[in-house]
Amino acid sequence: MGNINVFGKMTAREIVKNLLQYLSMIIITMLAVTLFCGFISNAKTLDKTIENYKKTSNLADLCVQTSGDIISGSITTEDQNFFAGLEGVEYEYRFYAEGKVENQSAKLYSSVGNITSPLIDSGERGVLIDKKVAERNNIKIGDTIELSAMGYDFSLEITGTMNFIEVANTYSVCPIFVDEDILTDLILEKLSLPDMFKDFVMPRLYNQILVKCESKKDIESVKNSISEYFSSKQDSNLLYIFTEDNFEAIVSLKGEADQSLKMIYVFPVIFLLVSVLVILTTISQLILRERTNIGTLKAIGIPNKRILVHYASFGMVLCLIGGLVGVIIGPQIVTNVMQIKYNLVYSFPKMSAVVYSPIWSIVALLAITALAGVIGFAVAYSVVNDRPAECMRPLPPRSNALINKIVEKPKKGDKRESPSRLSFKMALRNILIKPSRAIMTIIGIAGCVALL
């Protein structure tokens, strides 16, 4: 109990005396852990956002694109019979065309919209435009836009804004989703056909089949069956078959998640190198200041092991505090900051709630605490193993032939050394006295420069 009281008083005194220095250890450790846990959490949050986006949009497992036009049609009766005969799948026909709107590339979609449906942000179904495009071009519900597609120019009255999962970067392409009835009426008007041809026009507009499988395990087999069917046709009009991983939004967001994971090898590692310098400097200064106290503790019979554990654990406790703060605030800070970037570049619904990673949080805490413990142990070991009398005396300068040669006094009659040369020799001497400390300093400075 007496030993505990002694170490407790010493610790309290040191904390009060060097509060700012110990706060620097806590802060730099917090930054390293904040970035590490934050980037991992950001990746997990993005993954969850993708899954929620796919679920709420009822994203198709397969998208079959065929060629054709209004006159010849794209999907034949034979094609319809084939898809109707597939077991364990739900399918839906859709029209897709590329064009231009407001001098920007556009993608026009039209279907019932149960599979890969647009997520309405405001307004209602009818003519939906991406919400980011609407915001940038100051397009409001009720405004009319001019769309060029299929060789025709259409005037469309906007009924609502949306997020559409197949298009992520709306700076390059603007998605527009039009209900079947509205598009059919527009085509009839352009072709100067009466309403009696309404049931004729829309089926011939279809050029995509969206397929939803009951089981994820069946996707590849269904894709192979579709490929084999179109390959067996004499005049196959199959262009491509997309899986959900080919859709632009999924690819883009998954790429961001992968990039976030790769970032843990950059900023957190750099801050970790800087933290090594801070920990080393702080613990070294503590040990040097405490040499006399260490000698006194040894003289009164306190075991070396107990003294060593105290000084080695000093840095561990400070780093553990900084690490805990980083684990808590890191995911919130990094994820919310990165969300600002994603909202500027991509068009998708609000991200899911921040996802924490308990396993990686524990790993980060253990790693940073163990690092502080190893550094503290290495610094304290040589001092604690000295005899009490040696600890109580000032630390003698280290001496060897090379150091003695460097600091050798000028002989009588030699010219007096310049102050700059003498300073250089003293600096070189200090490096040689403690090369391990010099190496750790270089590592820390390398981290600071790398960060800049």
Side-chain angles (χ1 to χ4, degrees), residues 60-62 87-90 211-223 244:
D61 296 316
L62 299 171
E87 295 183 358
V89 301
E90 177 187 356
V211 178
K212 191 80 176 174
C213 301
E214 290 182 358
S215 172
K216 293 295 182 183
K217 297 178 182 178
D218 299 334
I219 295 176
E220 194 61 33
S221 62
V222 172
K223 180 182 178 182
E244 65 172 32

Side-chain angles (χ1 to χ4, degrees), residues 135-186:
E135 290 172 0
R136 288 197 301 269
N137 295 280
N138 198 28
I139 298 174
K140 299 180 177 61
I141 295 174
D143 289 352
T144 300
I145 61 171
E146 298 298 323
L147 170 69
S148 298
M150 301 179 288
Y152 302 106
D153 294 327
F154 302 100
S155 294
L156 302 175
E157 182 180 339
I158 302 300
T159 62
T161 59
M162 66 169 179
N163 291 114
F164 194 61
I165 194 168
E166 291 190 27
V167 179
N169 190 343
T170 57
Y171 281 93
S172 56
V173 176
C174 169
I176 298 176
F177 201 96
V178 181
D179 277 356
E180 286 185 353
D181 290 342
I182 296 176
L183 183 61
T184 305
D185 291 337
L186 291 171

Side-chain angles (χ1 to χ4, degrees), residues 387-398:
R387 292 191 296 270
E390 292 174 340
C391 291
M392 292 181 183
R393 290 197 298 265
L395 185 67
R398 184 175 176 179

Side-chain angles (χ1 to χ4, degrees), residues 187-247:
I187 295 295
L188 289 174
E189 182 182 342
K190 292 298 178 182
L191 295 177
S192 300
L193 294 174
D195 289 343
M196 63 183 292
F197 287 96
K198 193 168 187 176
D199 294 336
F200 168 81
V201 171
M202 198 61 215
R204 290 187 173 274
L205 281 176
Y206 292 135
N207 56 7
Q208 288 185 342
I209 305 101
L210 304 177
V211 178
K212 191 80 176 174
C213 301
E214 290 182 358
S215 172
K216 293 295 182 183
K217 297 178 182 178
D218 299 334
I219 295 176
E220 194 61 33
S221 62
V222 172
K223 180 182 178 182
N224 292 336
S225 298
I226 295 172
S227 297
E228 291 173 4
Y229 163 72
F230 279 100
S231 297
S232 65
K233 292 179 64 176
Q234 187 173 2
D235 297 320
S236 176
N237 62 340
L238 177 67
L239 295 179
Y240 53 77
I241 302 176
F242 275 161
T243 62
E244 65 172 32
D245 291 333
N246 298 130
F247 292 126

Side-chain angles (χ1 to χ4, degrees), residues 261-315:
L261 288 177
K262 291 176 183 176
M263 292 297 285
I264 66 176
Y265 301 107
V266 185
F267 293 109
V269 172
I270 292 172
F271 273 102
L272 186 63
L273 294 178
V274 177
S275 68
V276 168
L277 172 62
V278 175
I279 294 168
L280 174 69
T281 303
T282 305
I283 299 300
S284 297
Q285 289 181 357
L286 171 66
I287 296 299
L288 290 175
R289 287 195 302 267
E290 293 289 301
R291 279 182 61 84
T292 303
N293 289 334
I294 291 172
T296 303
L297 293 172
K298 291 167 65 69
I300 62 177
I302 295 179
N304 288 356
K305 183 178 179 181
R306 181 68 186 88
I307 301 173
L308 185 61
V309 168
H310 169 73
Y311 286 102
S313 62
F314 207 89

